[in-house]
């Protein structure tokens, strides 16, 4: 693991950041963190290459299967091989849990917190693989439906301009789905929410954060175009970038750009509500009415507590935490009696 220091000493925390240091402008912090965490991002990318190479091998295997390919002629996109577009890309669903590993580590980097690259990556994959895999299935189905719809309607626009309406709807849904994916992996590793709630919030942020979403898309499009038109003599450069750095960089870019919105509209309101609840408790204690509540009043106060508790980098439902705490207390008492 310690070969060339790429995976060695991952149990040693970094120097951290002074909490009293004035907050710098976002572009400055982006490049400062990028430079400071460059070696960690390389480690993270190489870690991600383990499942990535496996998935690519599966895609090659699907491509080489002796099955007929289905061709579909379009007026705008030319003749398309539907087998390559939809069957060969199917194994990419398996990469979804590992994007949560990327998102967890790069989210910590974005908020200037330490992360153990190797262990935190795999822990995030293990803890979030179910919603992440379901998200991968949803993304694949949306890709199949929306892309084929775009091919279908674009071919028929020349016959009837009314097909422009469903075509425009498909393009808009595709863009919103892309923007939502900038937020979903970070939200999965940050919040203890059902996937449908994560999707609802992600689509809201896809509109609220329109400018930053467009910025991320422009950068990704620029990288894609640069790789696409890279001279054949230098084709090894994009390949090396993908292996060494690119996937972790894209995850860091999206985490840094999106986390501030999540912090402003989801996390900070929780802290504010928690602080207000504590202030109310202190005021009640000072008034000397702490022990004068009826049972019904105590139940009402319990309902006023924050619904989520921020523990170990995740917002977790308070009731689940209380149930786990009660179970733990009973277990400890039973062990003591034995």
């Amino acid at each position: 693991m310690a070969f060339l220091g790429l995976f060695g000493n991952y149990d040693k925390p970094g120097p951290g950041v002074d909490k009293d240091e004035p907050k710098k402008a976002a572009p400055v912090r982006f490049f400062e963190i990028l430079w400071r965490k460059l070696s960690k991002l390389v480690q993270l990318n190489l870690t991600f290459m383990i499942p990535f190479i496996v998935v690519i091998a599966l895609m090659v295997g699907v491509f080489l299967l002796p099955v007929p390919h289905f061709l579909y002629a379009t007026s705008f996109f030319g003749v398309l091989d539907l087998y390559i577009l939809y069957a060969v890309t199917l194994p990419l669903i398996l990469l979804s849990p590992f994007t949560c590993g990327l998102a967890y580590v790069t989210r910590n980097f974005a908020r200037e917190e330490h992360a153990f690259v190797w262990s935190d990556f795999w822990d995030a994959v293990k803890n979030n693989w179910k919603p992440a895999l379901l998200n991968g299935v949803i993304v694949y189905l949306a890709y199949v439906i929306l892309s084929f719809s775009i091919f279908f309607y674009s071919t028929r626009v020349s016959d009837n301009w009314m097909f422009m309406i469903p075509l425009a709807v498909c393009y808009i849904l595709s863009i919103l789905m892309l923007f939502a994916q900038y937020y979903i992996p970070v939200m999965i590793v940050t919040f203890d929410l059902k996937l449908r709630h994560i999707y609802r919030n992600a689509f809201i942020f896809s509109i609220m954060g329109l400018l930053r979403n467009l910025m991320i898309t422009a950068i990704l499009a620029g990288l894609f175009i640069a790789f696409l038109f890279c001279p054949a003599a230098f084709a090894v450069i994009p390949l090396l970038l993908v292996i060494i750095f690119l996937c972790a960089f894209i995850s860091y870019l999206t985490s840094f750009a999106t986390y501030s919105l999540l912090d402003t509209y989801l996390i900070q309101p929780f802290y504010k509500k928690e602080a207000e609840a504590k202030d109310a408790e202190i005021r009640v204690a000072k008034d000397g009415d702490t022990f004068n509540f009826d049972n019904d009043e105590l139940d009402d106060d319990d309902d006023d507590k924050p619904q989520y508790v921020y523990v170990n980098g995740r917002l977790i439902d308070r009731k689940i935490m209380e149930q786990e705490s009660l179970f733990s207390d009973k277990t400890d008492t039973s062990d003591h009696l034995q």
Side-chain angles (χ1 to χ4, degrees), residues 2 14 76 82 114 141 176 188 190 192 210 241 293 303 305:
F76 185 78
L82 298 185
H114 180 72
L141 292 177
L176 291 178
I188 288 176
T190 304
D192 186 25
L210 182 60
L241 282 175
F293 294 112
D303 292 338
K305 291 181 180 179

Side-chain angles (χ1 to χ4, degrees), residues 1-10 43-44 46-47 50 117-118:
M1 285 299 178
F3 178 70
L4 296 180
L6 291 177
F7 297 102
N9 297 325
Y10 58 79
Q43 294 177 34
L44 180 62
L46 292 176
T47 303
I50 297 173
V117 173
W118 178 263

Side-chain angles (χ1 to χ4, degrees), residues 223 225-242:
L223 290 172
I225 293 172
F227 284 9
L228 188 64
F229 292 99
C230 180
F234 301 99
V236 68
I237 296 177
L239 179 61
L240 288 176
L241 282 175
V242 170

Side-chain angles (χ1 to χ4, degrees), residues 8 12 21 25 45 56 95 115 165 191 202 245 265-266 323 332:
K12 184 179 180 181
E21 183 179 345
N45 203 88
I56 294 298
L95 269 183
I165 297 174
F191 303 105
F245 182 66
Y265 291 101
L266 294 180
Q323 290 172 0
D332 294 341

Side-chain angles (χ1 to χ4, degrees), residues 53-80:
I53 292 173
V54 172
V55 169
I56 294 298
L58 288 174
M59 293 176 65
V60 173
V62 174
F63 176 76
L64 295 176
L65 288 176
V67 296
H69 288 209
F70 303 96
L71 302 180
Y72 183 74
T74 66
S75 57
F76 185 78
F77 298 96
V79 178
L80 301 173

